[in-house]
Amino acid sequence: MTLCILLLTLYQLYYTSSKKFLEMEKLSLAEKRPIFSLLTTIITFAAYYWYVTELYIEKTLTVQTEIEFWSAVILILIPVFVVSKIILMIILTIINTIITGEETRFDKLDEFGKLIDIKATRNFYHVFIVGFLAFLSSLAFSFNVFISFNIILFTILVSAIIADLSEFYYMRSGV
Amino acid sequence: MSKNFISSNIRVLRFHNNEMTQQQLADAVDVTRQTIVAIEKGKYSPSLELAFKIARIFDKKLEEVFNYEPLEGSK
């Protein structure tokens, strides 16, 4: 129940702020997309991590079950991110169509957009590899399971943030 | 970041073409406005296909729209 209220409040806040943001003339649609993607990533991760932490505190876990728990958390995070991005695109398209009265395609990528996408994905992998090595090192040095799996969770978050920021940077400064 | 040596006269050509907007040109060559902005500012070198499309819109030769000016010492 509390989670539902939190999510509703977050999305209400998200809706009003995105409406105001879309009305700004200074940024083009292509520049607004990574900013919204970044916001969605942070909001989704924050809500998901809060939910998972609540679950983790409630449960009494052995080392084996703790590994299973955190593995499941990471596996579920991926579809959660995918679904939230799809919802983001739908919301943005609706809001922007209402504001401008024109057909909007946030997912449309031309050659410039594709090149930027490739470079942003490259940056994502660079950061992810560093985080993954840190994760493996933490396992090798027998760190706490909680710490090890949190390293990989936050690696995913930071990598996603880097990808969105790179996209915004390349969109403004060129490639 | 690699330096782009390709500059363009798109801004001038748009002006002489009934003050065509960036969005109109973008729609005509099927790219986003951001791509036209990047090409005009010299921050992105378009593909040959896109360069030809743009030149065709203005009914000009490729060399009349785009210029290649490498720095001294670079080929």
Side-chain angles (χ1 to χ4, degrees), chain A residues 28 30-31 108 110-113 115 169-175, chain B residues 1-2 4 30-35 38 43-47 50:
Chain A
S28 70
E31 286 170 325
K108 184 184 172 185
D110 57 6
E111 58 176 54
F112 183 54
L115 188 60
Y169 171 77
Y170 289 132
M171 200 61 81
R172 284 190 84 84
S173 65
V175 287
Chain B
M1 191 168 292
S2 62
N4 289 317
D30 198 27
V31 293
T32 59
R33 190 178 70 84
Q34 195 61 35
T35 305
K43 289 176 178 174
Y44 172 62
S45 303
S47 67
L50 180 57

Side-chain angles (χ1 to χ4, degrees), chain A residues 126-136 151-152 155 159:
Chain A
H126 284 174
V127 178
F128 186 78
I129 286 165
V130 172
F132 190 70
L133 289 176
F135 167 67
L136 289 180
I151 287 174
I152 197 77
T155 296
S159 310

Side-chain angles (χ1 to χ4, degrees), chain B residues 20-57:
Chain B
M20 181 190 263
T21 63
Q22 289 173 331
Q23 189 62 57
Q24 284 170 333
L25 178 60
D27 291 340
V29 293
D30 198 27
V31 293
T32 59
R33 190 178 70 84
Q34 195 61 35
T35 305
I36 301 296
V37 172
I39 296 169
E40 279 189 4
K41 286 182 179 174
K43 289 176 178 174
Y44 172 62
S45 303
S47 67
L48 261 181
E49 187 186 353
L50 180 57
F52 273 110
K53 275 184 183 176
I54 293 170
R56 196 164 285 185
I57 292 291

Side-chain angles (χ1 to χ4, degrees), chain B residues 7-14 58 63-67:
Chain B
S7 60
S8 75
N9 307 316
I10 295 177
R11 196 184 292 259
V12 179
L13 290 166
R14 279 196 300 109
F58 297 118
E63 299 82 3
E64 291 175 279
V65 182
F66 296 97
N67 306 302

Side-chain angles (χ1 to χ4, degrees), chain A residues 64-82:
Chain A
Q64 181 60 36
T65 51
E66 197 175 353
I67 290 172
E68 286 167 10
F69 173 80
W70 285 109
S71 304
V73 164
I74 292 166
L75 277 178
I76 296 167
L77 177 66
I78 297 159
V80 166
F81 264 145
V82 172

